[in-house]
Amino acid sequence: GVLGSALRSRFEAELPVPEEGDSGDAAAKGGSAGDGGEEARFLANTAYCYRLCEGFVAETLQALLAKAKGGKATVDAASAGGALLQAYQEAGQEWQQVVLVLRSSAAGADGVALNRPLAARGNRQLAELLLRQTGAAEALVGPLLAAFGDDLCAYLGGPSEHESGGLLVHGDGSLEGAVEVSPGTRIFTGGERAAIEAVAAGRASPLAFRWFLGRHTGLTTDEGAWRAVACARPVALKQCLGLPKPLWHEVMELCGGECATLSRLEILKRDDLPSEDD
């Protein structure tokens, strides 16, 4: 697309061009810029690519702001600036989300964001929405609020299907109505009535259950916006409340390699999280 072409042009402009006769140095680095060796070497440098993209985004957005008059600007949607602005706005809603995939198909993956806690907790309106899919919301709202109280931990699962009801995620396969997300994961959904009864009877902690409102649908890794990683049960089931390190960074560090490097680069931009150098 136009955005990729613009970024590609910037990358190629920054590639060093070896002087004529400088074949020895080029060979030592894996080839010259012309034969792709130098290009591959730079593309393999995660920190360099990160800084290149960051600079491209900042400069392009600044150029758009410079054209604005009275707080408004006309942007050609087909231009690199227009494409970047649209991508930037869309990415803002999904920034550093960790999604638990519930099902996948040729159309993409559906799941819930694990790290978007809702401020509301013991709220009757929220409880009714979370229980709508059970078909017995009216009968279960009171027991839910009484059993969970302020420890009812709810999350914004995604931008879609808010009116379809909630989703309960937990690790207790013994609850009636619980269904394993995928064989062997020991991560379950459903069993709302049994979960409420278990908490009310003191057999389970309310913090062992995560309630989600909304879904992500049609997620794909095709354009690089999302990356698929193996599911870790402790990560999927832990509450994202007051964590010493945001969940996205924890997952990226567990993945290692390029993912861990991107996490470190993002942490360096924040003053509220300790870096490895501290």
Side-chain angles (χ1 to χ4, degrees):
V2 62
L3 188 55
S5 297
L7 188 55
R8 174 77 186 182
S9 297
R10 182 185 177 106
F11 168 71
E12 291 177 345
E14 291 197 7
L15 275 179
V17 179
E19 297 180 5
E20 186 176 353
D22 192 20
S23 58
D25 181 58
K29 294 179 179 179
S32 67
D35 66 18
E38 190 77 346
E39 175 179 315
R41 188 172 71 86
F42 274 82
L43 288 175
N45 186 327
T46 302
Y48 167 77
C49 291
Y50 177 92
R51 299 300 185 196
L52 177 77
C53 293
E54 188 177 49
F56 173 77
V57 170
E59 291 176 15
T60 305
L61 293 179
Q62 188 60 43
L64 293 176
L65 287 174
K67 296 178 181 179
K69 295 182 179 179
K72 297 182 179 180
T74 301
V75 181
D76 180 5
S79 67
L84 176 62
L85 185 61
Q86 181 179 353
Y88 190 83
Q89 292 172 333
E90 292 175 353
Q93 301 299 319
E94 301 172 346
W95 185 246
Q96 296 186 355
Q97 286 194 23
V98 179
V99 174
L100 173 65
V101 173
L102 303 172
R103 62 189 66 85
S104 62
S105 67
D110 300 342
V112 290
L114 297 173
N115 55 336
R116 289 295 188 270
L118 291 170
R121 292 200 182 183
N123 178 295
R124 186 176 182 85
Q125 184 178 7
L126 174 62
E128 289 175 349
L129 283 173
L130 293 175
L131 293 167
R132 177 172 292 177
Q133 76 289 347
T134 66
E138 186 174 344
L140 293 176
V141 165
L144 171 66
L145 294 175
F148 281 75
D150 288 339
D151 287 329
L152 192 160
C153 298
Y155 297 81
L156 181 62
S160 304
E161 302 181 20
H162 289 175
E163 300 302 319
S164 300
L167 178 78
L168 178 61
V169 175
H170 54 88
D172 191 348
S174 68
L175 297 179
E176 182 179 354
V179 178
E180 195 169 18
V181 169
S182 183
T185 59
R186 293 185 297 132
I187 301 172
F188 302 87
T189 62
E192 292 86 352
R193 182 185 294 273
I196 294 170
E197 292 174 352
V199 172
R203 298 193 305 272
S205 167
L207 296 179
F209 301 94
R210 307 186 67 183
W211 299 82
F212 295 89
L213 185 65
R215 310 282 193 279
H216 274 286
T217 59
L219 299 183
T220 175
T221 60
D222 290 349
E223 297 181 354
W226 296 91
R227 176 167 296 192
V229 300
C231 178
R233 183 175 185 269
V235 172
L237 296 181
K238 70 170 13 174
Q239 300 289 353
C240 291
L241 303 169
L243 296 178
K245 179 176 292 186
L247 187 68
W248 184 85
H249 287 285
E250 181 180 348
V251 171
M252 294 290 275
E253 290 179 6
L254 286 172
C255 291
E258 182 182 60
C259 292
T261 299
L262 290 172
S263 173
R264 287 194 294 272
L265 290 168
E266 281 292 310
I267 285 179
L268 289 175
K269 294 163 60 176
R270 300 179 56 166
D271 57 12
D272 59 330
L273 294 175
S275 66
E276 292 183 349
D277 299 329
D278 291 343

